[in-house]
Structure formats: C-alpha cells, structure tokens
Amino acid sequence: MQVLYSPQRADEKIKYTFNGEVITATFRGKTDTFDFTNMPNGKAEEINTTLDVNPIVSAERKEGVLYVKLLNFIGPDATEEERFPSWKEIE
C-alpha cells in the first residue's frame, strides 16, 4: 500500500495504524477502521466515517496496488517533509 499524508493546518492530530490494507484512524478519542483489503481496481466512490472529520481523502487501486491519501493535520512549525510529503510504502 502506498500512502500520502495530505497536509492541512490544524492544532489537533490524527493517529494512524496499519495492518495490511486496514487503516485505523484515531481522532479526538474516537477510532474508526477502514478495510481496503477486497477493494477492486478503481477509485473508492464514497468512504464513510464515524469520526468528526473524514481522514481518508481518497483511495484508489491501480494494477493491484492500493494508493490512499490520508488527512494529516500539521502545526505552524511543521517540517519540510510534513508540508511537502511524498508517497510512502506501508507494508
């Protein structure tokens, strides 16, 4: 799975954990799990969440590889890497 942390300025944080193609997001003490294991090639049309914000910006499977953009709240002192992220492979 390839992940891109999409930066947005905010003082709060979203915590992510990964297990295969299952992503768990925790925000404001609440947790939601997103299972992309059986997602076919193509873009996810609608991703619902129980969290106050949807942490999944987009999800697409191309040629069997899952690409997910995740919301990443960053502070005013964010690093260059946080402000201008690149795709990362998550195993």
Side-chain angles (χ1 to χ4, degrees), residues 43-75:
K43 292 183 180 182
E45 294 298 320
E46 187 174 331
I47 300 171
N48 296 314
T49 185
T50 59
L51 301 176
D52 294 337
V53 296
N54 195 333
I56 310 294
V57 176
S58 67
E60 181 177 9
R61 188 178 299 277
K62 294 188 239 178
E63 298 179 11
V65 178
L66 180 63
Y67 295 85
V68 182
K69 289 184 184 177
L70 299 175
L71 185 60
N72 185 35
F73 291 140
I74 60 172

Side-chain angles (χ1 to χ4, degrees), residues 8-36:
Q8 181 176 339
R9 173 66 184 97
D11 291 325
E12 300 177 272
K13 294 286 183 188
I14 301 173
K15 180 184 176 195
Y16 296 101
T17 58
F18 304 91
N19 183 9
E21 292 185 340
V22 178
I23 301 169
T24 301
T26 302
F27 180 66
R28 293 183 180 162
K30 295 180 185 175
T31 299
D32 201 355
T33 300
F34 306 88
D35 188 349
F36 296 101

